[in-house]
């Protein structure tokens, strides 16, 4: 059969029928909201390149986390900015580290929000690289030893899930065995498995003060040109014991999300990163695009590509729209 008997437009004629045939719908259940916490007291400062995103001191972060919880968002992912950075990022495994103190506080005050911690070193080292340096090069295996300490320390502070983002070889295996040895066998690992060396992280590095002091991250993060290598990274992390795998960034990597979803039975997370957020905010402010609609379309496309969950700085805005039934 063909035209004029076949007419796809019949199923688009009004919103009721469009609702019935809609294949992909954003839901509160898809959302993970990033939260930046920094040293100090009474601080609530907007990140200049990320309008609507704030850095909070631990005392101020609780109200923000309550708001996120009250919107119905199931989870947050925490990033920390410590008071003192050093060569190895020792704040990351200190009982009094910025993440440890904050997680304890959140778990006490807002126990029903699921707390994921980013496990990495770049915000904590003076050089801004994601591990231990030897001759200006990130030493993989020395970094694994510190990752184990960081992971166990996050778990001790009450984190619900750990998300290692440093792209070290063997990091999932190292963290899994360290957690198991410390009896944290129930804590899942969400691995930033296919993380690309992307210029879209620019605004985040302002927010987290984590830009590398020299060089770049291309000896550990992936070349944006490579899709098969992304699958290799994903499959290795599955073997090493990851519970959830992640693709990052999301928007320029929808093909990777799609392929990863086909290649594994694990849930797939996509990280809608800072630059993807800031571009939409900036163009929206200039009046060049309809910010809200573009946001919705981008997040829908990430879900349609195969993401089971999305880390996004838009989480609160999307949740608001969903709760008001405005874009459903
Ligand atoms: C590393 C980390 C980065 C992001 C999340 N975890 C930055 C980087 O690799 O330079 C980027 C997130 C974003 O751009 O929103 N700890």
């Amino acid at each position: 059969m063909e035209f004029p008997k076949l007419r796809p437009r019949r199923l688009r004629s009004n919103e009721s029928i469009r609702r019935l045939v809609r294949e992909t719908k954003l839901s509160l259940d898809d959302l993970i909201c990033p939260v930046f916490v920094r040293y100090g007291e009474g601080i609530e400062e907007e990140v200049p390149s990320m309008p609507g995103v704030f850095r909070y001191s631990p005392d101020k972060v609780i109200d923000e986390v309550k708001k996120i919880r009250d919107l119905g968002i199931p989870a947050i992912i925490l990033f920390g900015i410590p008071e003192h950075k050093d060569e190895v990022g020792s704040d990351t495994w200190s009982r009094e580290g910025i993440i440890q103190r904050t997680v304890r506080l959140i778990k006490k005050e807002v126990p029903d929000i699921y707390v994921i911690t980013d496990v990495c070193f770049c915000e904590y080292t003076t050089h801004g690289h994601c591990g231990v340096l030897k001759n200006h090069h990130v030493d993989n295996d020395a970094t694994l030893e510190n990752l184990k300490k960081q992971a166990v320390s996050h778990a001790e502070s009450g984190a619900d899930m750990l998300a290692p983002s440093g792209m070290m070889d063997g990091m999932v295996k190292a963290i899994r065995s360290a957690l198991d040895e410390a009896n944290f066998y129930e804590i899942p690992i969400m691995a930033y498995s296919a993380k690309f060396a992307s210029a879209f992280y620019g605004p985040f590095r302002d927010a987290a003060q984590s830009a590398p002091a020299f060089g770049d991250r291309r000896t550990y993060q992936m070349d944006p040109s490579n899709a098969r290598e992304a699958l290799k990274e994903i499959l290795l992390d599955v073997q090493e014991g990851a519970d959830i795998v992640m693709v990052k960034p999301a928007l320029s990597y929808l093909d990777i999300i799609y392929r990863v979803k086909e290649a594994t039975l694990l849930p797939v997370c996509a990280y809608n990163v800072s630059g993807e957020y800031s571009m939409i905010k900036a163009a929206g402010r200039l009046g060049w695009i309809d910010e809200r609609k573009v946001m919705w379309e981008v997040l829908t496309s990430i879900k349609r590509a195969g993401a089971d969950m999305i880390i996004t700085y838009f989480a609160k805005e999307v949740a608001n729209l969903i709760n008001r039934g405005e874009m459903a």
Side-chain angles (χ1 to χ4, degrees):
M1 243 201 296
E2 56 186 45
F3 181 82
K5 287 211 164 127
L6 274 190
R7 289 180 182 269
R9 287 184 58 193
R10 285 184 196 123
L11 298 184
R12 295 177 207 142
S13 61
N14 62 48
E15 182 55 14
S16 300
I17 183 63
R18 288 194 296 270
R19 280 172 62 197
L20 289 172
V21 300
R22 189 158 289 143
E23 297 173 35
T24 308
K25 266 188 88 174
L26 291 175
S27 126
L28 295 176
D29 304 337
D30 301 325
L31 302 172
I32 300 171
C33 187
V35 173
F36 293 103
V37 57
R38 53 152 290 171
Y39 62 92
E41 236 178 277
I43 293 161
E44 188 176 341
E45 58 191 11
E46 195 168 23
V47 180
S49 52
M50 301 177 75
V53 174
F54 291 78
R55 283 185 292 240
Y56 302 93
S57 51
D59 57 317
K60 288 280 183 180
V61 85
I62 294 302
D63 278 348
E64 168 71 1
V65 175
K66 282 184 180 154
K67 269 184 220 150
I68 295 168
R69 188 259 330 260
D70 293 343
L71 282 165
I73 296 168
I76 60 170
I77 181 162
L78 262 192
F79 297 96
I81 302 134
E83 184 160 15
H84 301 293
K85 304 188 186 220
D86 60 25
E87 274 291 299
V88 290
S90 59
D91 193 85
T92 58
W93 63 78
S94 158
R95 223 190 95 78
E96 294 309 316
I98 183 74
I99 289 292
Q100 287 80 351
R101 285 194 291 132
T102 306
V103 173
R104 284 197 297 271
L105 201 60
I106 294 175
K107 281 285 133 189
K108 181 161 150 260
E109 303 287 337
V110 203
D112 45 343
I113 192 99
Y114 193 81
V115 178
I116 306 167
T117 56
D118 184 79
V119 176
C120 195
F121 295 102
C122 55
E123 301 106 286
Y124 304 88
T125 50
T126 40
H127 45 74
H129 279 285
C130 301
V132 178
L133 285 189
K134 292 222 169 115
N135 304 321
H136 278 230
H137 184 72
V138 175
D139 185 284
N140 194 86
D141 297 9
T143 301
L144 293 184
E145 292 310 309
N146 291 349
L147 274 174
K148 292 186 199 171
K149 292 191 273 185
Q150 179 178 171
V152 171
S153 176
H154 283 194
E156 281 168 351
S157 69
D160 292 298
M161 179 155 82
L162 305 189
S165 64
M167 288 298 281
M168 293 301 119
D169 292 338
M171 71 180 181
V172 173
K173 184 175 176 193
I175 290 173
R176 183 71 272 157
S177 55
L179 288 176
D180 289 354
E181 272 167 36
N183 250 341
F184 291 115
Y185 47 80
E186 289 194 338
I187 295 194
I189 296 174
M190 176 162 76
Y192 287 70
S193 305
K195 177 176 179 182
F196 291 87
S198 171
F200 284 99
Y201 306 151
F204 174 95
R205 292 179 187 170
D206 294 342
Q209 295 164 2
S210 65
F214 64 88
D216 53 45
R217 304 207 201 288
R218 287 184 296 175
T219 68
Y220 38 106
Q221 298 180 351
M222 285 186 50
D223 183 336
S225 311
N226 296 355
R228 282 164 18 103
E229 190 186 353
L231 291 184
K232 179 172 94 179
E233 285 282 6
I234 294 277
L235 295 176
L236 283 172
D237 281 358
V238 174
Q239 264 178 27
E240 289 184 23
D243 298 278
I244 298 174
V245 288
M246 194 198 298
V247 175
K248 177 183 174 192
L251 188 52
S252 288
Y253 299 85
L254 295 178
D255 57 322
I256 311 284
I257 296 173
Y258 183 83
R259 290 169 72 153
V260 165
K261 190 62 178 279
E262 301 274 294
T264 172
L265 296 177
L266 298 192
V268 177
C269 178
Y271 198 141
N272 174 224
V273 301
S274 57
E276 300 172 49
Y277 173 84
S278 300
M279 284 195 308
I280 294 175
K281 285 284 167 194
R285 290 191 158 194
L286 285 166
W288 290 352
I289 57 169
D290 181 330
E291 186 183 317
R292 216 170 76 167
K293 287 197 172 128
V294 171
M295 165 191 83
W296 195 269
E297 188 173 330
V298 164
L299 293 172
T300 301
S301 74
I302 294 169
K303 185 167 183 188
R304 193 190 61 229
D308 295 288
M309 61 199 90
I310 307 172
I311 301 174
T312 177
Y313 302 96
F314 289 116
K316 287 196 295 175
E317 278 173 68
V318 180
N320 256 315
L321 293 178
I322 291 173
N323 290 331
R324 294 204 301 259
E326 284 185 22
M327 305 288 277

